[in-house]
Amino acid sequence: MDVMDLVEHLGGAARVERFKVDKTLFHRGDPTRHMYGVLDGQADLRRITIEGAEIIVHRAQSGELFAEAALFSPRYHCDGVATAGSKIALFEKTALLELMQSDGAFAVGFCQRLARQVQRLRSSIELRAMHSAEDRIMAALSLRLGDGETRYALPGTWKSFAQDIGLTHEALYRALKRLERSKRLHRDGRMIQLGV
Amino acid sequence: MDVMDLVEHLGGAARVERFKVDKTLFHRGDPTRHMYGVLDGQADLRRITIEGAEIIVHRAQSGELFAEAALFSPRYHCDGVATAGSKIALFEKTALLELMQSDGAFAVGFCQRLARQVQRLRSSIELRAMHSAEDRIMAALSLRLGDGETRYALPGTWKSFAQDIGLTHEALYRALKRLERSKRLHRDGRMIQLGV
DNA sequence: CGTCCGCTTGACTCAGATCAAACTTGGTGG
DNA sequence: CCACCAAGTTTGATCTGAGTCAAGCGGACG
């Protein structure tokens, strides 16, 4: 179930809008009306600390839902802001909850989506607990590999991979070079060959 | 909805067992029968990398569910191991899915639980993107504070707080001292007073 | 053709990890 | 009630590796 499936499922209770950079989607404290899904672009959930600094609670990329928690809270507890020109889907909270109540299959599908999210996020956290860049890269790749596989095609750029695993691109490139020198990994463009 | 609520909801399809340290709950590749909830103790989800190293995909603490993804997968893709003497609830996958299908309110409640998880995990990741220990501490505390509050009672030990935010306890204590010296925070045991 | 962006490498810095050690605190059991 | 042990707390010294700033290369795309 991807974001567009959700839009179709909800029919009139969902709509797609375009937002310009820095356009605010909702403010902290507003009553919750919508859950959102990024179709294209990027959006941030932000909060202001006591000291006035801004912290990013979540940066949603294309294909991600965000503000799911709004479904279960009467008010937003963060600000939502488009951080690029973005195409974003708005899902009416009440309609979504009703659909979940009444349509068992839909509810299961939605849970599945959330469960996968949880799984990905947890492994991402444990990954970041590894201090060595080399270990982090090897672990991240191992997680993406399925079942005895030893080759992997990077879906995005190396730079975005660096972000995914919480490294600067410089640190990534250097660690990759060390891994290649010690024959733990070989790469050709975006094809990666583990071990040898 | 906490773990014990789930046990009651599921009746005969849930049971509670005790596991000794290093007792394996399930192996990677086994057909999925259960989702789990830690009542007491600790359990790890682990995978072995190509190079034979063990990576921890998730460490579940008391009160947490784990292996939710098992609900939607025919086989476990990690090993599950108790890392302490633990009391763990086992929920039958099929019963859970059926209940979710047929009982709308239950499905919504389960989604709520997952949504909160997602929310917490995301903010935890963004938190770890902050490089300075002081910023990390202040941001973490700000997130735990609700709405104009300025005092906070730490639920666990400082050491466990350090783990939560991805610092060593030494780094935490030092940063706390700096924060106190610069009057950005005051603490008395486990009571924390922000700003002043 | 020029610009943007991903890629790559270099030099430097510093904050947090690591190892070590002392002290408090709380709980257990005799 | 006290001895004792485990765990949390606190401080010190040292080191390392990722962040940062800087700069050059090359391919894609308008």
Side-chain angles (χ1 to χ4, degrees), chain A residues 122, chain B residues 3 6 35-37 58 63-66 68 91 110 113:
Chain A
R122 280 178 184 161
Chain B
V3 177
L6 254 185
M35 182 190 78
Y36 298 81
H58 176 50
E64 282 185 67
L65 296 182
F66 77 103
E68 302 96 330
F91 306 102
F110 194 74
R113 191 189 173 89

Side-chain angles (χ1 to χ4, degrees), chain A residues 134-192:
Chain A
E134 284 153 61
D135 291 352
R136 212 131 116 196
I137 292 168
M138 294 306 286
L141 291 176
S142 284
L143 283 179
R144 293 175 181 216
L145 249 50
D147 221 16
E149 270 298 310
T150 177
R151 288 170 67 75
Y152 176 67
L154 202 68
T157 66
W158 284 102
K159 203 172 175 180
S160 71
F161 178 65
Q163 278 204 328
D164 281 357
I165 65 175
L167 289 175
T168 58
H169 58 279
E170 296 99 321
L172 173 71
Y173 293 129
R174 284 190 247 271
L176 280 174
K177 177 169 270 188
R178 289 196 297 272
L179 286 170
E180 287 200 287
R181 265 205 294 268
S182 59
K183 310 275 183 205
R184 299 170 64 193
L185 165 156
H186 177 72
R187 72 189 157 121
D188 180 23
R190 285 173 190 171
M191 270 309 298
I192 302 152

Side-chain angles (χ1 to χ4, degrees), chain B residues 29-66:
Chain B
D30 288 351
T32 48
R33 268 196 231 302
H34 298 103
M35 182 190 78
Y36 298 81
V38 181
L39 293 170
D40 206 57
Q42 199 179 59
D44 278 5
L45 278 183
R46 298 177 186 166
R47 276 185 70 169
I48 308 295
T49 69
I50 286 200
E51 306 186 306
E54 207 168 54
I55 57 181
I56 295 172
V57 177
H58 176 50
R59 166 155 291 173
Q61 307 290 338
S62 302
E64 282 185 67
L65 296 182
F66 77 103

